[in-house]
Amino acid sequence: LFALVQRPDIQSALRTELLSVESDAPLMDELTTLPRLDAVVRETLRLHAAVPLTGRIAMHDDVIVVAEPFVDRKGRTHTEIK
């Protein structure tokens, strides 16, 4: 609701779209046909995430292969970055 109060134009357009649904208790199939509702829900969840941070642990180190070998500050030649 807070996100909609910030944008009355979007709130009005969403209300118009929701009033076009003929049922007071729409089925999921009917809700999936409402593009503005989908956009509002997705944008609201993007801005106000239910889980603000996800902890992740790398399973293995990444290796980036370079196009041409390079020499580091210690004089060692590398063909990839670890």
Side-chain angles (χ1 to χ4, degrees):
L1 292 174
F2 176 75
L4 286 175
V5 170
Q6 302 299 313
R7 294 290 307 268
D9 56 326
I10 301 295
Q11 181 182 6
S12 176
L14 179 60
R15 185 173 192 278
T16 302
E17 183 178 77
L18 291 172
L19 289 174
S20 72
V21 177
E22 296 175 6
S23 172
D24 287 340
L27 299 173
M28 192 63 193
D29 291 339
E30 293 172 302
L31 293 176
T32 58
T33 63
L34 304 174
R36 187 166 307 274
L37 176 63
D38 183 57
V40 166
V41 169
R42 287 179 187 271
E43 183 67 4
T44 302
L45 288 174
R46 185 184 73 82
L47 293 173
H48 309 282
V51 179
L53 182 65
T54 303
R56 297 182 179 160
I57 299 172
M59 300 303 289
H60 53 82
D61 292 337
D62 285 335
V63 176
I64 302 171
V65 179
V66 294
E68 296 181 21
F70 66 94
V71 178
D72 66 10
R73 287 184 272 181
K74 295 182 180 180
R76 293 180 290 200
T77 303
H78 298 276
T79 57
E80 59 192 21
I81 301 171
K82 295 182 184 182

